[in-house]
Amino acid sequence: MIVMKFGGTSVGSIEAFAQVAKIVKQKMAEQSTTSHPGVVIVTSAMSGVTNTLIEAAKKAASTGDENAHREIQNALLAKHRAVADYFVKDSTERAALDRLLEERIAALERLWRGIAALGELTSRGLDIVSGMGERINAPLLAAVLRAQGLKTEALDATELIVTDDLFGSAAPLMDLTEQRCRARILPLLEQGVVPVITGFVGATTRGIPTTLGRGASDYSAGIIGAVIDADEIQIWTDVNGVMTSDPRVVANARSLHQLSYEEVAELAYYGAKVMHPKAVSPAVAKKIPVLVLNTFEPTHPGTRILEHSNSEEMGSVKAVTAIRGMNLITVAGRGFIGVPGTAARTFGSVASVGANVLMISQSSSEQSICFVVPELDAAKVIDALHTEFRKELDRSYIDQISGHGNIVIVAVVGSGMRGTPGLAAGIFKAVSEQNINVIAIAQGSSEANVSLVVADPDANAAIRAIHDMFELHKPTAERTGTR
Ligand code: ASP
Ligand code: MG
């Protein structure tokens, strides 16, 4: 039994829907010969739809114009109807689909008008609006697949994934979610029905719609796959799996056959766009393989994500990625030396303004601590630190609180770095040969990642140099030396 998640571009056009139908039919046929058959689909909204929904809500709130959404509303109707026109010829099916589409669009219209009247957009309101793309698309995809001869049923994850009420990035309550998913999904599979489930959304125990975070349909697939004990979770996207680096930066980047859960989580965290950072986490405890596959080149093997990847035996680096638009903040002074609590106060200030810390580095002399936050948050973090340490600044226990803008974290990832001496040396040799100044360094205690902070104009050269040094353009087994 497999879970197949289709991303926005995989359901972005008539041609893409046709591709999806072909792939699902083939998987259903393959599954029928297994001992534990079944296909569960998780779908994103059609590409661009979520952004459009959010844009309309923001426009309504800022202009107060109760008709600001009109054009968007018509475009949404047309976009989904074009798919229905092409595939859904049965008149009863089509009438039911039209009714549903109109109902959901009418609900959106009421919401947008309400937001305009109030002149305010709450995070709870935004979640109801932004999840509607999936809640339109799942019934549409289910109808398209039925028109292609499959038995399907659309399911709304607001009835399956139970979450807390952290609107905008809600967390699943796994026990309740497991009960509901198993009760609803497993009987369908026994009848040979393909459930087509909305990604991205959930609801609180009281039934209030939530979303799991932007791009989180992958996470939905991970959650559902884990609670129903799928044999495999497939993430269908528009590229051939996870690559050794961004092909726009490194011309000879290639797709990776294997990655470990740990490696893919590091990569996603450090900006590789291919998957949501939380997507694999529910699969880890049950050791369910996660595959990243290309809807538009379905015979490509893509990337298989497992508990252990081959890089561990090979002692090798897997990939190099970058996260841009960052700021490196330094807090320094003798107030740090042997004074417990200074670091806690530093990160307390960062947390108090809701900023996310992506990397931390402290020199062993304890004279300073530096950490990386998104550029957008830098000014408020620095303000908060000035307030927190006002006394220490007055007494010169702390003499520097400063930001260094326009920086990039270059992250080198591979579980095989653990216990392999010389890899870090290789990384620094690669960048120093290009005369690139490394501003800060950090290694996670997992040793699956070494991160370098460099100035933005140096980032691409650093990435290429590291990619070359470790011969990442070659399959792992073909590389020379221990690297
Ligand atoms: N449609 C949602 C978004 O654009 C979720 C997803 O595509 O994964 O964020
Ligand atoms: Mg996505």
Side-chain angles (χ1 to χ4, degrees):
M1 185 244 291
I2 59 174
V3 171
M4 307 173 78
K5 179 261 172 177
F6 293 97
T9 51
S10 298
V11 285
S13 64
I14 290 170
E15 296 72 38
F17 269 82
Q19 253 325 88
V20 169
K22 203 166 106 189
I23 295 167
V24 174
K25 272 203 248 175
Q26 194 197 332
K27 292 292 167 190
M28 270 302 269
E30 280 172 28
Q31 280 291 305
S32 64
T33 64
T34 67
S35 58
H36 187 212
V39 170
V40 176
I41 295 178
V42 174
T43 185
S44 287
M46 289 182 78
S47 59
V49 167
T50 313
N51 285 341
T52 305
L53 294 170
I54 294 173
E55 193 191 308
K58 290 193 169 154
K59 209 159 131 198
S62 65
T63 62
D65 175 359
E66 291 192 20
N67 289 305
H69 59 272
R70 279 262 172 264
E71 251 173 65
I72 288 180
Q73 178 176 334
N74 293 333
L76 279 174
L77 267 172
K79 187 170 178 124
H80 293 96
R81 275 192 184 136
V83 177
D85 285 345
Y86 189 86
F87 292 100
V88 185
K89 306 290 184 197
D90 178 90
S91 60
T92 332
E93 273 275 1
R94 181 56 200 263
L97 192 57
D98 279 340
R99 247 191 333 272
L100 187 128
L101 183 59
E102 277 150 27
E103 240 171 64
R104 302 253 143 121
I105 298 276
L108 277 168
E109 173 157 33
R110 282 193 301 276
L111 288 161
W112 283 323
R113 282 185 184 282
I115 293 164
L118 291 169
E120 151 179 88
L121 179 57
T122 62
S123 53
R124 174 173 162 173
L126 185 60
D127 268 7
I128 305 180
V129 171
S130 63
M132 206 62 95
E134 274 73 8
R135 300 174 69 199
I136 291 172
N137 201 39
L140 176 60
L141 179 57
V144 168
L145 295 175
R146 267 198 303 278
Q148 303 281 308
L150 290 162
K151 286 201 276 179
T152 67
E153 186 169 330
L155 298 182
D156 196 322
T158 55
E159 290 165 19
L160 299 175
I161 297 184
V162 186
T163 71
D164 64 14
D165 62 0
L166 197 66
F167 298 104
S169 59
L173 308 177
M174 290 304 274
D175 290 345
L176 280 171
T177 300
E178 174 160 346
Q179 283 166 26
R180 292 206 192 166
C181 284
R182 296 188 77 94
R184 195 76 179 84
I185 297 169
L186 299 182
L188 292 177
L189 297 182
E190 266 165 34
Q191 298 156 32
V193 174
V194 178
V196 181
I197 309 175
T198 57
F200 186 43
V201 299
T204 66
T205 46
R206 292 170 49 217
I208 300 160
T210 53
T211 65
L212 306 175
R214 290 307 308 271
S217 291
D218 299 331
Y219 188 25
S220 306
I223 294 166
I224 293 168
V227 297
I228 62 172
D229 291 305
D231 299 313
E232 202 169 280
I233 298 165
Q234 303 179 344
I235 306 289
W236 289 84
T237 177
D238 55 6
V239 291
N240 289 330
V242 184
M243 303 197 70
T244 51
S245 194
D246 181 345
R248 286 165 305 185
V249 177
V250 183
N252 59 3
R254 62 178 185 91
S255 54
L256 290 153
H257 295 304
Q258 266 188 32
L259 276 174
S260 64
Y261 296 130
E262 174 181 55
E263 288 166 339
V264 86
E266 295 277 356
L267 280 172
Y269 184 76
Y270 285 107
K273 290 267 161 16
V274 77
M275 217 198 298
H276 190 276
K278 291 181 191 159
V280 300
S281 59
V284 173
K286 293 193 168 165
K287 302 185 186 165
I288 302 171
V290 178
L291 271 74
V292 182
L293 298 161
N294 190 350
T295 302
F296 305 97
E297 198 183 327
T299 52
H300 191 284
T303 303
R304 179 175 276 273
I305 304 161
L306 307 151
E307 191 185 11
H308 297 289
S309 81
N310 51 1
S311 86
E312 283 154 52
E313 298 140 47
M314 309 291 300
S316 64
V317 165
K318 276 268 154 168
V320 48
T321 183
I323 180 158
R324 296 167 203 269
M326 297 287 126
N327 191 300
L328 178 77
I329 294 178
T330 303
V331 183
R334 62 200 161 86
F336 271 107
I337 307 174
V339 183
T342 316
R345 286 172 61 200
T346 303
F347 293 110
S349 306
V350 180
S352 72
V353 295
N356 185 22
V357 176
L358 285 111
M359 180 185 134
I360 301 171
S361 160
Q362 184 178 30
S363 62
S364 54
S365 71
E366 293 186 48
Q367 290 261 27
S368 70
I369 191 161
C370 63
F371 55 91
V372 176
V373 296
E375 187 67 68
L376 288 172
D377 293 330
K380 59 183 184 189
V381 169
I382 292 172
D383 274 355
L385 288 166
H386 274 110
T387 311
E388 175 68 33
F389 290 117
R390 186 175 304 135
K391 275 199 205 118
E392 286 80 359
L393 284 161
D394 285 347
R395 294 179 194 151
S396 299
Y397 287 159
I398 283 185
D399 42 38
Q400 183 196 355
I401 296 177
S402 62
H404 185 313
N406 208 19
I407 58 136
V408 174
I409 302 177
V410 174
V412 187
V413 172
S415 307
M417 293 199 272
R418 183 156 38 233
T420 309
L423 288 180
I427 295 169
F428 295 110
K429 182 161 178 263
V431 288
S432 71
E433 280 173 1
Q434 302 297 314
N435 289 318
I436 292 167
N437 178 36
V438 177
I439 303 167
I441 306 162
Q443 178 174 37
S445 60
S446 73
E447 294 186 48
N449 149 32
V450 172
S451 302
L452 318 178
V453 173
V454 298
D456 187 86
D458 290 335
N460 289 351
I463 294 167
R464 284 186 209 113
I466 295 167
H467 200 275
D468 275 355
M469 173 66 81
F470 292 103
E471 301 183 306
L472 296 185
H473 59 285
K474 294 183 184 169
T476 318
E478 289 172 21
R479 295 182 207 147
T480 52
T482 56
R483 310 197 278 258

